[in-house]
Amino acid sequence: MDSFKGKVAVVTGGGSGIGRALTLALAREGARVVVADVDEGAMAAVAGEARGHGVDALTVRTDVSDLGQVQALAERAWQAFGVVHVLCNNAGVAAWGGLERATHRDWQWVLGVNLWGVIHGIETFVPRMIAGGEGGHIVNTASMAGLIASQGLGVYNTSKYAVVGLSETLAKDLKPYRIGVSVLCPMGVETRIRESAAPAVELIGRYLAPDAVADMVLAAVRRNELYVITHDEGLEPLRRRFERMQQSILQRKKG
Ligand SMILES: NC(=O)c1ccc[n+]([C@@H]2O[C@H](COP(=O)([O-])OP(=O)(O)OC[C@H]3O[C@@H](n4cnc5c(N)ncnc54)[C@H](O)[C@@H]3O)[C@@H](O)[C@H]2O)c1
């Protein structure tokens, strides 16, 4: 996808942080936007800002953990615009604390939003996007926590590793339909996510501005790149992880 002008983009969690920045970057590039969030005041404000770029903007209150609400979101988007080209499955929440203490509620809440939210987006939007025949792009927001495990982030890690795996396969599955897939894997970004639960883990690395992250995502969509790894600081832990996996094979071969 080399231009967003006149395209239709749906952004979940579009009321704040990375989702807000994605919505506004897409609007700035001329895309019509659908903002989906549970926070009605926030998404209305973002839609207002998007209209300031001269594009149509729709808000649909959507809890992405509820399949029926995501289906209703798709229905509204197609009713309003007749097509969707870009879907950003971005809504997410964080829970902190050791896995030995994680409650059933923690698992249900975090996987419900971070993983099932993405699944609901895919099962609802992808068949309609394919039927539309215009190609497009899916952006799934994972995290560096979907590539590197951190003590105290296990529930979140589980949800984000799943989103990375899902996205890697989805990219292969959707290639014949000219629908690209990118998976966003940031480290720290200056957003409200740490307000949803008291952080017990201090993330390493810099905190980027959401706008900078959104610009990286749009560039990756244009180039149809799968991974959007926003922080240089990710290189070293990623290298160590793969080195350990490689060692496992090499040691075994040595006997
Ligand atoms: N901020 C970071 O450091 C960071 C790092 C890596 C990944 N991420 C990921 O980025 C994504 C966006 O988070 P953010 O940092 O912008 O946080 P944020 O809290 O600023 O924004 C998240 C938005 O999602 C909405 N939301 C929460 N639950 C929802 C639900 N069930 N349905 C629909 N909307 C819901 C919130 O109302 C909010 O507007 C998340 O998936 C998060 O895991 C964030």
Side-chain angles (χ1 to χ4, degrees):
M1 180 172 295
D2 40 21
S3 164
F4 298 100
K5 201 164 173 52
K7 298 279 175 11
V8 176
V10 177
V11 183
T12 71
S16 170
I18 296 169
R20 171 182 175 277
L22 278 172
T23 305
L24 296 180
L26 287 158
R28 189 191 64 215
E29 297 290 324
R32 295 167 281 171
V33 291
V34 181
V35 192
D37 205 294
V38 286
D39 185 335
E40 294 185 58
M43 66 183 182
V46 173
E49 285 184 86
R51 289 184 198 109
H53 291 290
V55 297
D56 287 339
L58 180 72
T59 58
V60 185
R61 193 201 179 277
T62 312
D63 178 346
V64 296
S65 67
D66 180 338
L67 174 61
Q69 294 190 34
V70 179
Q71 288 169 332
L73 166 67
E75 202 51 47
R76 287 287 306 284
W78 260 275
Q79 257 170 23
F81 299 118
V83 62
V84 170
H85 302 96
V86 179
L87 170 67
C88 301
N89 288 310
N90 165 80
V93 291
W96 316 79
L99 284 175
E100 73 282 9
R101 286 193 308 274
T103 65
H104 193 69
R105 212 165 155 264
D106 293 334
W107 286 109
Q108 281 192 316
W109 179 52
V110 174
L111 294 189
V113 180
N114 295 7
L115 176 56
W116 278 102
V118 176
I119 295 170
H120 292 155
I122 287 161
E123 63 179 319
T124 304
F125 281 75
V126 165
R128 298 178 83 145
M129 288 170 73
I130 291 173
E134 294 191 26
H137 207 95
I138 313 276
V139 177
N140 293 327
T141 302
S143 169
M144 186 55 86
L147 298 167
I148 301 293
S150 302
Q151 193 180 6
L153 265 185
V155 177
Y156 187 75
N157 280 137
T158 303
S159 70
K160 296 299 190 180
Y161 268 71
V163 171
V164 171
L166 182 158
S167 304
E168 288 173 340
T169 311
L170 191 67
K172 295 178 180 172
D173 289 347
L174 297 189
K175 209 169 172 182
Y177 306 102
R178 293 184 302 111
I179 299 175
V181 176
S182 298
V183 59
L184 171 61
C185 300
M187 294 169 86
V189 185
E190 286 167 27
T191 72
R192 284 176 17 198
I193 197 163
R194 280 159 208 84
E195 293 170 17
S196 59
V201 181
E202 206 34 65
L203 298 180
I204 57 161
R206 292 160 303 145
Y207 278 67
L208 294 181
D211 290 345
V213 172
D215 287 345
M216 291 181 206
V217 171
L218 263 55
V221 172
R222 284 199 171 94
R223 293 194 294 259
N224 194 18
E225 286 171 356
L226 176 58
Y227 300 109
V228 190
I229 301 186
T230 54
H231 288 63
D232 302 351
E233 293 91 326
L235 199 57
E236 192 49 29
L238 282 174
R239 200 186 54 71
R240 281 202 303 271
R241 178 167 186 249
F242 282 97
E243 211 171 70
R244 282 169 60 201
M245 293 176 178
Q246 195 183 27
Q247 278 304 318
S248 154
I249 296 172
L250 297 178
Q251 289 294 346
R252 181 174 46 71
K253 280 175 64 161
K254 259 202 267 169

